[in-house]
Amino acid sequence: MRKLGLILYAVALTGALVLQSQFHPQNARRHSEPMEENIGVKNLWEYLRLRDPTTGEIPRNIRQKELAFAQRIEFPATEARPMSSPTIRATGWTSAGPINAGGRTQAIGIDISNPANVLIATAQGGIWRSADSGQSWSRTTAPGQLKDMTSIVQDQRNGKTNIWYCGTGELLSTTNRRTSVVGDPRWRTTDIGDGMYKSTDSGKSWSVLPATVDASVTTLDSVFDGVWNIVVDNFHSDQDIVYAAGFGAIMRSTDGGTSWARVLGDAAHPSFCTDVQITSNGTLYAYLSQQVASGGSSTTQGVWRSTDGTHWVNITPQNWPSATQRLKIAIAHSDENILYVGGSNDSAGNNPILFKYSYNTGDGSGSGGAWEDRSNNLPSVSFNINTPSTNPEGSNTLGGYAVVLRVFPTNPDVLFFGGTNLYRSEDGFASINQIEWIGGYGPDPNGPFEYPNHHPDNHDLVFSPVDPDIAYSANDGGIFRTHGIRAFDDNTYPVTWQDLDHGDVASILYVVGLDHATPKDSTMAGGFQDQGSWIYLNAKNWGTYDGGDGCYCAIADKKQAFYMSSQFAYINRWILDANLGYVNVTGIRPAGIPDPQFVTPWMLDPANTNEMYLAVNNTLWKNTDLMGIPQNSQQYETSVNWNQIYSLNPNSLISALGMSTVPAHRLYFGTSDGHLYRMDNADNASPTAREITGSIFPKNAFISCVAVDPLNADSIIVCFSNYHVVSLFASNDGGTTWRNISGNLEDNADGSGDGPSTRWVSIVQQKGERLFLVGTSVGLFSTTDISGAATQWTPEGTQTIGRAIVENIDVRQSDGFVAIATQGSGVFTSTVVSGVNSVSGGAAIANAFSVFPNPASGDANVSLSLPRATHLNISVVDLTGKTRAVVRDGMSEAGASQYLIDCSRLPSGTYYVTLSAGDAIETKRLIIEH
């Protein structure tokens, strides 16, 4: 997300963020340009590739709809799904980490009954739980459940501490945006959630609260489409009272989330942002923004107070800003008559506000409470903290995307305010004299890129219930802990942070790249959202090498060079030694080009990885000798060996590149408005291109990938990533004729409906057989037959990859090694093999596989017959995709066998019994009625 100046040689720039990697350049240049977000450009790129070309909007509530659609693909309505037994297949998907890098983390919960139990809500990775204070982690949300978690809270009453709640829906998001809510110039979009989840086993498993699931799938219209915060009333111990601050309203439940009532909010003009907090005696404070998702103004915007949760008094001060956006409330629990309200007051986030409120008497309104505006004391862009250093980011909240506001538990004057940076004030920001910078970006343009062992874009800060000096910080880099949050001295770094990202694999990637010339090699490079570019080291550990938003990356044959980039095509050539240690780094972006797309496509020629092709908006550039660029770590750009080789209509953006190996040097490139071109002999000095756009292609749609068969340049697949269009097309004659191969990835034949966004396609060749892989917004799919529109795509890695968004795939053809880049689940790898012996007779198993009685209430019998001994898995899965029972998981002998399902342990409802025996997969529906 960082602007061009930060997109530098990040290992030096990210100093402490190397995260356990020793392989970083000590002498690489530090950044010297102001740090800025360019959210509008990034959101425009996301918008173009996801929008419905007909309506111009990303379909509203599409996330829930596409997840439900994916469920139908995996568990179709038919009683059985006979599977063929291809001899080419992926051998299983294994996480490759990173285990030492966290993904964007929105909220933290610490178990009041055992502070070693820590739970985190990640923006695209679900809920993760640690039982050892963050030294190790396990994901506790199921693969099929939503992963856009935003808030988490524990019921702290005696005997109830095993109960937790979490909310979904990142309404101010930087990835995985699902719904357009505000247009140009910022293209603000939102990641719609779908309700709240509840755990009754201390966060070890989660179930959705049915009353919070939106029945309407047409618009952003449910409070639970985006849950900003949740609080539990621990004072009234005789009722299970929970409050949720959601889209447009404050909701109240008195039965632990079974049912809900709206207690505050303008239903006609719902506030986009809300918050709710509660004191130890049950007094509530709520905030609702003036900002709404559509036209008009909220009549309930402002700050409110309630002593019973149902009757609310407006306590908004007279000098309250007229256009408030994302604000948070922080109660001083050492003196609960004091609270602070602060956050974003403009769409850019550069004009933050902070108010202090002191309750006096009565209902707290008018003279019953006193307000102080302390906004002017928040660090600004030119704020001077440690003379002569100045902080180029100040209190930037990125339009409300990054907001932290917390009061130290034992002192009402010690206040923490965070945006991109994190600050602590000893006097509640009553002055500018007692402020310390304790996290985020570096304050000195000539100093470290980021605060040591910390990360920008802060989302939460919590204190240990047993020792408030121990604090946990959540941000775009994951989760961090300090044992000295109250340290206050004149040192540059008063607070020492420890990175706790040890196994919480929630990273968000755009691209992953392999060394295609070294079989059996595990080296990978990856581009990470807001965390730069990383290289796989060993044992799922990765090291960080480049900064900014990590985008496209590639490894030259035999690791002659590593190429990594950040937004706007700031590409660096890294030369590393045999241990992946730094030798030198060189900026190779073509000099003088305008800023291209936020995530800019480029690629190395697979037949000559010393040549590069780069898309710069509507133009195509080529570098004929990358290694001929002189090493110079003091520059971003160069003119050496770069030439513009093609130009399109200015309204077209080149959005995808694909290149051949047999024959070599044929380049295909697609555009953001649905056009496809073929350039034969792209290695010539002046190559020409011709348009091969198919007449059946969707109009004005975004081509996200062009896959070229590694053994036949005439065999290609084109992938469109927009919603509500036919997504996949194939040609066997180099683009002369085309056929639709979307098959069951489309809800309707014309592409309309609830089908997913398809992001990437790869063709794997092994022993004369082909396996086709497609990455989508609901996981990874494969097929061996793309003969036409009836293509059947089968989900891959349902219990590992799950429903994660698969952005990119890279394949090494020599040994079938495949790596995929996901949003929220890091990297997965597999090896595609051909000629594998497998259980045959999938249809025979289908005929011999039965579940009875059905419906069932006590025991249900699973009867089957295997043609030979094999590994057998029988599981019971609910409608969310969560595995509720494993009936059998191990080797089973050939012949007839029978297993029992204890239905008494499961609630009434509809389930699926899945059988996996070798390559045969069958599914039966099971109704449980009590």
Side-chain angles (χ1 to χ4, degrees), residues 59-118:
R60 299 178 185 271
N61 257 20
I62 189 61
R63 185 56 176 167
Q64 298 96 305
K65 294 189 285 184
E66 68 180 0
L67 286 172
F69 175 78
Q71 186 78 10
R72 298 197 296 272
I73 295 178
E74 185 174 355
F75 302 118
T78 56
E79 283 299 307
R81 181 177 57 149
M83 301 292 293
S84 63
S85 297
T87 59
I88 183 172
R89 63 180 177 86
T91 55
W93 294 91
T94 302
S95 171
I99 61 171
N100 59 326
R104 187 165 73 249
T105 302
Q106 287 285 348
I108 306 168
I110 302 178
D111 190 341
I112 190 73
S113 61
N114 181 1
N117 295 331
V118 181

Side-chain angles (χ1 to χ4, degrees), residues 874-878 882-887 901 906 911-913:
I874 303 173
S875 298
V876 180
V877 181
D878 65 19
K882 180 180 179 180
T883 299
R884 302 302 297 269
V886 177
V887 181
I901 302 172
L906 297 172
Y911 299 84
Y912 292 97
V913 180

Side-chain angles (χ1 to χ4, degrees), residues 163-183:
I163 298 174
W164 290 72
Y165 302 88
C166 70
T168 66
E170 192 186 21
L171 298 188
L172 290 175
S173 177
T174 61
T175 52
N176 188 25
R177 284 168 289 278
R178 299 297 173 194
T179 301
S180 305
V181 293
V182 179

Side-chain angles (χ1 to χ4, degrees), residues 431-693:
S431 70
I432 63 172
N433 300 320
Q434 298 189 55
I435 300 173
E436 287 256 356
W437 163 66
I438 63 169
Y441 284 126
D444 184 354
N446 298 310
F449 180 65
E450 293 170 353
Y451 194 100
N453 287 318
H454 202 254
H455 197 277
D457 300 355
N458 290 271
H459 302 294
D460 200 8
L461 180 72
V462 301
F463 309 94
S464 168
V466 295
D467 182 358
D469 203 33
I470 299 174
Y472 295 79
S473 171
N475 50 52
D476 271 14
I479 182 170
F480 302 81
R481 181 179 62 197
T482 179
H483 287 269
I485 194 68
R486 285 290 288 115
F488 193 86
D489 53 37
D490 295 327
N491 294 331
T492 303
Y493 309 120
V495 173
T496 300
W497 293 99
Q498 174 191 5
D499 178 15
L500 295 184
D501 295 302
H502 310 300
D504 51 325
V505 185
S507 299
I508 299 169
L509 286 92
Y510 291 119
V511 174
V512 64
L514 305 174
D515 177 358
H516 297 101
T518 309
K520 308 301 180 183
D521 183 72
S522 61
T523 307
M524 294 174 278
F528 291 69
Q529 181 264 328
D530 200 35
Q531 296 187 49
S533 297
W534 296 59
I535 295 177
Y536 180 88
L537 303 176
N538 53 64
K540 301 184 183 179
N541 285 284
W542 294 59
T544 182
Y545 288 75
D546 219 74
D549 266 88
C551 297
Y552 274 69
C553 56
I555 304 175
D557 287 352
K558 300 295 183 180
K559 304 181 188 60
Q560 182 181 24
F562 292 76
Y563 296 92
M564 291 172 277
S565 68
S566 53
Q567 62 269 50
F568 307 117
Y570 276 81
I571 309 170
N572 296 323
R573 182 194 69 201
W574 289 78
I575 305 300
L576 305 177
D577 62 26
N579 295 318
L580 302 179
Y582 170 75
V583 176
N584 63 62
V585 62
T586 299
I588 66 169
R589 183 186 199 250
I593 63 170
D595 284 348
Q597 300 171 73
F598 187 87
V599 178
T600 304
W602 55 265
M603 69 177 300
L604 304 180
D605 187 333
N608 179 3
T609 57
N610 193 40
E611 295 185 350
M612 177 182 288
Y613 296 85
L614 167 68
V616 180
N617 297 324
N618 65 313
T619 63
L620 186 64
W621 291 68
K622 178 184 177 182
N623 191 289
T624 56
D625 183 6
L626 293 168
M627 294 302 293
I629 300 173
Q631 189 275 325
N632 185 347
S633 62
Q634 300 302 311
Q635 293 182 355
Y636 297 116
E637 300 180 333
T638 181
S639 297
V640 176
N641 300 328
W642 280 109
N643 293 291
Q644 180 181 318
I645 62 173
Y646 205 75
S647 178
L648 298 173
N649 183 300
N651 294 324
S652 289
L653 301 175
I654 299 175
S655 55
L657 305 172
M659 205 158 190
S660 66
T661 54
V662 181
H665 311 305
R666 182 188 295 176
L667 177 68
Y668 296 93
F669 54 97
T671 71
S672 61
D673 55 356
H675 295 275
L676 182 67
Y677 298 84
R678 169 178 164 174
M679 179 179 285
D680 295 330
N681 300 316
D683 60 328
N684 288 353
S686 299
T688 59
R690 58 189 175 91
E691 185 169 0
I692 56 171
T693 304

Side-chain angles (χ1 to χ4, degrees), residues 767-917:
K767 296 181 180 179
E769 292 191 286
R770 295 188 300 177
L771 183 69
F772 305 93
L773 297 172
V774 56
T776 78
S777 53
V778 293
L780 182 71
F781 294 81
S782 70
T783 189
T784 58
D785 181 5
I786 57 167
S787 56
T791 298
Q792 291 297 299
W793 296 93
T794 302
E796 293 272 344
T798 55
Q799 296 303 308
T800 49
I801 303 166
R803 298 285 179 257
I805 299 170
V806 178
E807 285 286 358
N808 177 256
I809 308 168
D810 198 13
V811 179
R812 182 168 55 233
Q813 301 293 340
S814 60
D815 60 0
F817 186 66
V818 182
I820 68 169
T822 75
Q823 283 197 20
S825 295
V827 175
F828 289 89
T829 62
S830 183
T831 299
V832 173
V833 294
S834 179
V836 177
N837 292 327
S838 59
V839 172
S840 59
I845 293 177
N847 294 332
F849 171 38
S850 62
V851 180
F852 61 92
N854 196 356
S857 58
D859 289 336
N861 297 277
V862 179
S863 178
L864 69 145
S865 181
L866 295 175
R868 68 174 178 84
T870 188
H871 186 278
L872 176 67
N873 179 279
I874 303 173
S875 298
V876 180
V877 181
D878 65 19
L879 292 177
T880 71
K882 180 180 179 180
T883 299
R884 302 302 297 269
V886 177
V887 181
R888 172 67 177 173
D889 189 15
M891 289 298 298
S892 294
E893 297 299 321
S897 56
Q898 194 170 102
Y899 301 91
L900 293 179
I901 302 172
D902 184 359
C903 298
S904 66
R905 301 171 64 90
L906 297 172
S908 297
T910 300
Y911 299 84
Y912 292 97
V913 180
T914 67
L915 178 150
S916 174

